[in-house]
Amino acid sequence: MRAWRGDPGQRWASVLLAWLAGVALQLQQAALWPPVASLALAVAGLAVASIVVLARRRSAAQWRHRAPWRHGWLCVAIALIAFGTTGQRAQSRLDERLAPALEGPELMLTGVVDQMPQIGADGLRFVFAVQEAQLGGEPVAVPSRVSLFWFTGTGGGTGPGARSTGAPAAMPELRAGQRWRLPVRLRRPHGAMNPHGFDGELWSFERGIGASGSVRNTVAGPRPQWLGDTAVRPIERARQAVRDAVLQRVADARIGGVLTALIVGDQAAIGRTDWDLFRDAGVAHLMSISGLHVTMFAWLSGLLIAAAWSRSARACLLWPAPHAGRVGGLLVATAYALLAGFGVPAQRTLLMLSAAIGLRVCGLRWPWPLVLLLAAAVVTVWDPWALLQPGFWLSFAAVGLLMASAPLPRAGASADGAASLVPRARGWLVDLLRTQAIATLGLAPLSLAFFQQVSLVGFAANLLAIPWVTLIVTPLALAGVVLPWLWQVAAGAVAALVQALQVLTALPWAVWTVSAAPPWAVLAGLAAALLGLLPLPWRLRLLALPLAVPLLWPAVPRPLPGQFELVVLDVGQGSAVLLRTAKRLLVYDSGPAYARDADAGQRIVVPLLRARGETQIDRLIVSHRDADHAGGAASIAAALPVRSWSSSLEPGHPLFVAAREHTRCEAGQRWRWDGVEFELLHPPPQDYERPAKPNALSCVLRARDAAGHSVLLTGDVEARQEAALVARLGDALRSNLLLVPHHGSRSSSTDGFLDAVRPQVAMVQAGYRNRFGHPAPEVLARYRAHGIMLVRSDHCGAWTWADGAIACARDSRRRYWHWTDGRVGAGPALLLDEREDGR
């Protein structure tokens, strides 16, 4: 074996680090450089690297004398190559995105269902490989892969399982490999953009999805048409057949969803409440196809193949049994990953295993840090944007910690036979406890950094769940593909595990949550984990305690007494606002319900509140009953304690019944928090006595700080209510900031109302290219005529105001894969939409 130690190992490490640094720097670009610049960097790096390598071959003696600076140039060249090639790949993906001119009009796409469709409460979501696209009968260029949603609220179409026109909703029998002609409306990738929030645009970019949209299935227009099955996507068809068989065989849909996630990687089959349970227990990584499952398959199958190979003398002469076991295990793990959908986590794990196994097969024994660096570099060659995923860092950190903290071999070899059974069992148990303790404590800083929470019962939960899932549930679930009755046994095992996890997570201290920490606190926390787990003297290990404090209890910025902070969230077509004083939090509206099993409260508001270090809501105001304002309230109340509610909801509404302390919104209600005055201006009590639309009963709130800055939150009031407010309050409506009524609908924002309020800034909460056309073009023109700065959530993302300072999330988080309106130099204050369609 050739050992890599000392100087050669350091040189290899610096080269690999240079590659990773070049990729990481490129990922920080807010906008891509011109393609010629990226190409020039890559060519320059390649030229410098060639010169260095040729110089080394021609003069070995001089190379040894000048090695440091020449090696430095080699590292610079590698970084340039990494930066330039990543930029070139990024540009090719951006070029694949949908052209802005094709957003909105109905297109006719012909193509193949590229992946197993995901079943949702309201329809099917699937990736469509486009073969042909037409607009008005003329061919047009669209991305090769698009993400589509087929809403099942109306029947229609031709093909398997379709209903006749006008029939009730029918779930189409959409299968991978089928060829369809679909009428669709597409849009460029565009997701909600909030501080500490999920980056949906990066998710689409990494997977090569250039547009998203919905299948049109109306009575008047063209209908979806099934063109037949094809021979393509055989693995995806097999995955779907297995998933459907599991869901049909297992009566409990929740348990069936877990089994399908373990067998074919369909994470969407696991419900939201179950994901919350697994996350709080710290076992979410076990409930879908992850690196652990792929590694387990490689290890177990490798042992079996090596054992079988060693029984044949002829086979061992051809190739050593250990090598055959490693490569065979990798091949079996690859097959398993393909069955599981070959998702990004499985791809990363296979690349890591390939790098490590390749070194061993080639006879290279590198130290473990160098092996990890090589695996990381190989992963980023395949997928540069993996560096931005939490799973990348969690996977490598787990392996690195286990290797770095490995104890020295135990002294004394035990004798063979029964006498060694007890010591071996004791050693196995000690190793299991040690491994789990290292994984729990060592990964806690990264969990807090990425997710702002860590499970305090995760140690016990994983001691139970890891062997239970990997050695019992997963093998039974996979064996059920051949013997379907085993799925019933696997379902019973999952049900037993779920009950045990529910007991653990019911403990009041089960989950530790913190606010989002600054980068320096995260680095200090990682250093604390290393000091605490490395085999070092205890005096040094004690330094981990002060280093961990900034991450475990980060300082949370709050407004000073007499001031408030306003955060207008980006929730799509809906409304949600945070208003923070020095010691109190008010939430105005809760965002929309996206589907029967998803809402903005669970996806956006709660994660942001936790990232901001909020532990309770002092008052939750639900302006009115419409789902785009009240849709997330139940999720918010389930996640955080709400001390008091205010709303215009009718007494029989479920939220009204569930609220502990509920006050009906009425004009004239006032309170004061930390020097900030709050007043409800609408509706007056008499409005509840006569029939009215929900919009007419919207709770209108004004907040004013000690310096006179004020904000007016208006819900969905319309022209009649605006006129009543002006008649009753007049110039008293004057406010610096205005939440545009009814998302910029034509029914609101009258001239008289704007004359009375006279805001400096008005914020529109509206979904990107929403079907209502909000904000309406004439409303935009009205604000422009009044000289009011207009900020749109679909352009700005979340908008923050604090003591006069403003910030757009799309500006602070800007990266080249994010949506842009195409205009150069337009700041957040100039986000008026100039398009005539207003969408």
Side-chain angles (χ1 to χ4, degrees):
M1 295 289 185
R2 182 181 177 185
W4 284 85
R5 296 185 180 90
D7 190 55
Q10 293 176 5
R11 289 179 179 176
W12 271 107
S14 59
V15 168
L16 295 173
L17 284 172
W19 174 271
L20 294 172
V23 173
L25 285 174
Q26 196 280 333
L27 299 182
Q28 304 308 310
Q29 286 189 292
L32 283 179
W33 291 347
V36 65
S38 297
L39 180 61
L41 285 178
V43 171
L46 187 60
V48 172
S50 301
I51 292 172
V52 171
V53 171
L54 290 175
R56 177 183 181 182
R57 290 182 176 179
R58 290 180 177 177
S59 53
Q62 292 183 5
W63 171 266
R64 284 192 294 269
H65 178 68
R66 302 178 180 179
W69 70 266
R70 286 185 175 174
H71 188 73
W73 276 111
L74 179 61
C75 292
V76 171
I78 296 298
L80 291 176
I81 294 172
F83 192 104
T85 54
T86 304
Q88 286 287 309
R89 294 174 64 183
Q91 186 63 57
S92 67
R93 294 203 178 187
L94 288 181
D95 292 342
E96 264 278 296
R97 283 187 170 177
L98 185 72
L102 296 180
E103 289 187 293
E106 187 169 294
L107 305 174
M108 185 64 70
L109 303 185
T110 302
V112 175
V113 179
D114 195 51
Q115 295 178 353
M116 175 180 66
Q118 294 183 341
I119 303 173
D122 297 315
L124 297 172
R125 184 168 296 280
F126 59 99
V127 176
F128 196 62
V130 180
Q131 298 172 336
E132 181 184 359
Q134 292 184 343
L135 172 61
E138 296 295 327
V140 291
V142 300
S144 59
R145 299 178 80 238
V146 299
S147 174
L148 297 176
F149 183 75
W150 192 323
F151 179 66
T152 56
T154 58
T158 62
R163 297 289 187 89
S164 60
T165 304
M171 187 73 73
E173 293 182 12
L174 201 65
R175 296 191 171 277
Q178 288 180 341
R179 194 164 183 264
W180 285 79
R181 181 175 291 114
L182 300 174
V184 302
R185 283 187 178 173
L186 299 178
R187 66 179 191 177
R188 289 179 289 168
H190 186 286
M193 186 63 63
N194 295 282
H196 315 291
F198 174 70
D199 192 345
E201 294 166 34
L202 172 61
W203 186 93
S204 298
F205 183 82
E206 188 177 12
R207 286 156 180 80
I209 296 174
S212 62
S214 58
V215 177
R216 303 286 294 169
N217 199 11
T218 61
V219 175
R223 316 301 296 280
Q225 184 180 0
W226 174 59
L227 302 179
D229 293 321
T230 67
V232 299
R233 314 297 189 270
I235 296 176
E236 290 296 322
R237 292 204 307 272
R239 293 179 64 223
Q240 187 170 356
V242 172
R243 182 194 66 182
D244 295 346
V246 172
L247 296 178
Q248 185 176 6
R249 186 112 185 174
V250 179
D252 190 333
R254 293 179 57 191
I255 302 301
V258 175
L259 291 180
T260 58
L262 291 173
I263 300 171
V264 298
D266 185 11
Q267 298 185 26
I270 300 180
R272 185 181 70 183
T273 56
D274 291 321
W275 273 125
D276 291 340
L277 171 66
F278 300 145
R279 191 177 299 111
D280 291 345
V283 299
H285 61 288
L286 294 173
M287 299 305 166
S288 60
I289 304 302
S290 64
L292 177 64
H293 297 86
V294 176
T295 305
M296 178 200 71
F297 251 78
W299 175 65
L300 289 177
S301 57
L303 290 178
L304 294 175
I305 293 172
W309 196 276
S310 63
R311 292 181 178 273
S312 171
R314 181 177 297 180
C316 290
L317 289 175
L318 291 174
W319 212 22
H323 290 352
R326 294 185 183 104
V327 174
L330 179 63
L331 293 176
V332 173
T334 302
Y336 175 54
L338 290 172
L339 176 64
F342 206 58
V344 174
Q347 294 175 21
R348 284 198 300 262
T349 305
L350 286 174
L351 290 169
M352 291 171 60
L353 291 173
S354 299
I357 291 173
L359 287 174
R360 297 302 297 271
V361 171
C362 293
L364 299 175
R365 182 174 293 175
W366 287 11
W368 67 263
L370 203 53
V371 175
L372 281 183
L373 280 176
L374 176 62
V378 170
V379 169
T380 55
V381 168
W382 176 271
D383 177 16
W385 302 277
L387 279 176
L388 302 170
Q389 302 301 332
F392 175 91
W393 299 100
L394 290 170
S395 298
F396 281 98
V399 176
L401 284 169
L402 290 173
M403 290 181 173
S405 58
L408 296 174
R410 297 184 181 89
S414 58
D416 294 334
S420 66
L421 183 59
V422 173
R424 288 170 61 188
R426 185 185 299 116
W428 178 84
L429 180 61
V430 170
D431 287 343
L432 176 64
L433 293 174
R434 170 189 158 276
T435 299
Q436 188 54 50
I438 290 172
T440 301
L441 297 177
L443 296 181
L446 286 176
S447 297
L448 291 172
F450 289 128
F451 311 117
Q452 288 80 54
Q453 73 172 51
V454 65
S455 175
L456 299 182
V457 298
F459 178 80
N462 278 281
L463 280 178
L464 169 65
I466 288 178
W468 192 260
V469 173
T470 57
L471 300 179
I472 297 176
V473 176
T474 303
L476 285 173
L478 291 171
V481 176
V482 180
L483 301 173
W485 61 269
L486 288 176
W487 284 331
Q488 303 292 345
V489 183
V494 172
L497 177 63
V498 167
Q499 291 180 358
L501 296 179
Q502 288 173 339
V503 173
L504 288 174
T505 56
L507 298 172
W509 44 267
V511 180
W512 178 276
T513 59
V514 299
S515 62
W520 67 266
V522 175
L523 292 176
L526 293 173
L530 286 174
L531 284 175
L533 295 175
L534 289 176
L536 298 172
W538 279 104
R539 291 182 179 179
L540 290 178
R541 290 190 178 192
L542 290 177
L543 293 175
L545 296 178
L547 287 173
V549 170
L551 181 62
L552 294 175
W553 290 278
V556 181
R558 293 287 186 255
L560 296 174
Q563 298 179 356
F564 67 80
E565 178 190 15
L566 180 75
V567 183
V568 181
L569 301 184
D570 181 8
V571 293
Q573 185 62 24
S575 181
V577 179
L578 310 183
L579 208 158
R580 195 60 171 85
T581 67
K583 298 179 181 179
R584 303 288 187 94
L585 171 67
L586 182 144
V587 177
Y588 181 88
D589 281 336
S590 59
Y594 301 123
R596 282 177 286 177
D597 57 351
D599 58 70
Q602 176 256 341
R603 289 188 177 181
I604 296 175
V605 181
V606 170
L608 178 57
L609 291 177
R610 287 176 172 167
R612 289 169 56 89
E614 305 291 357
T615 58
Q616 71 174 21
I617 298 172
D618 294 280
R619 179 167 293 193
L620 174 58
I621 297 180
V622 180
S623 64
H624 60 294
R625 63 167 297 133
D626 283 358
D628 57 335
H629 294 252
S635 296
I636 294 174
L640 292 172
V642 180
R643 296 185 60 184
S644 64
W645 293 64
S646 294
S647 76
S648 60
L649 302 174
E650 65 276 12
H653 194 281
L655 291 176
F656 191 104
V657 175
R660 291 184 179 179
E661 180 183 339
H662 184 276
T663 303
R664 189 173 73 174
C665 288
E666 291 185 0
Q669 294 173 351
R670 296 182 176 87
W671 65 95
R672 184 182 179 89
W673 287 349
D674 308 319
V676 179
E677 298 178 353
F678 297 83
E679 182 180 5
L680 283 169
L681 307 181
H682 185 81
Q686 58 270 22
D687 281 9
Y688 288 100
E689 307 301 325
R690 51 178 177 262
K693 297 193 304 182
N695 289 354
L697 295 177
S698 293
C699 304
V700 177
L701 174 71
R702 181 174 58 190
R704 185 188 302 273
D705 67 10
H709 301 122
S710 59
V711 58
L712 187 64
L713 307 178
T714 57
D716 277 355
V717 294
E718 299 181 352
R720 179 173 295 182
Q721 292 76 48
E722 291 179 354
L725 284 168
V726 172
R728 183 159 44 89
L729 299 172
D731 289 340
L733 286 172
R734 178 76 182 271
S735 300
N736 303 92
L737 310 173
L738 170 67
L739 185 65
V740 172
H742 202 181
H743 318 287
S745 167
R746 294 179 177 86
S747 63
S748 306
S749 298
T750 58
D751 285 311
F753 182 73
L754 297 181
D755 285 335
V757 179
R758 286 179 285 173
Q760 296 172 347
V761 183
M763 301 81 67
V764 182
Q765 287 185 301
Y768 178 64
R769 300 195 63 86
N770 63 86
R771 62 190 178 94
F772 305 102
H774 295 160
E778 53 265 43
V779 173
L780 294 175
R782 202 173 299 147
Y783 278 90
R784 189 181 301 112
H786 284 263
I788 300 170
M789 182 187 301
L790 194 68
V791 177
R792 296 179 49 162
S793 62
D794 56 342
H795 288 187
C796 168
W799 187 80
T800 303
W801 183 95
D803 195 29
I806 63 175
C808 276
R810 283 198 175 271
D811 290 341
S812 59
R813 298 184 62 184
R814 172 69 63 191
R815 294 294 183 271
Y816 58 80
W817 55 81
H818 289 151
W819 176 92
T820 176
D821 62 358
R823 287 180 290 169
V824 179
L830 301 174
L831 295 177
L832 285 167
D833 194 341
E834 303 291 344
R835 291 175 296 175
E836 292 301 323
D837 62 3
R839 295 183 295 170

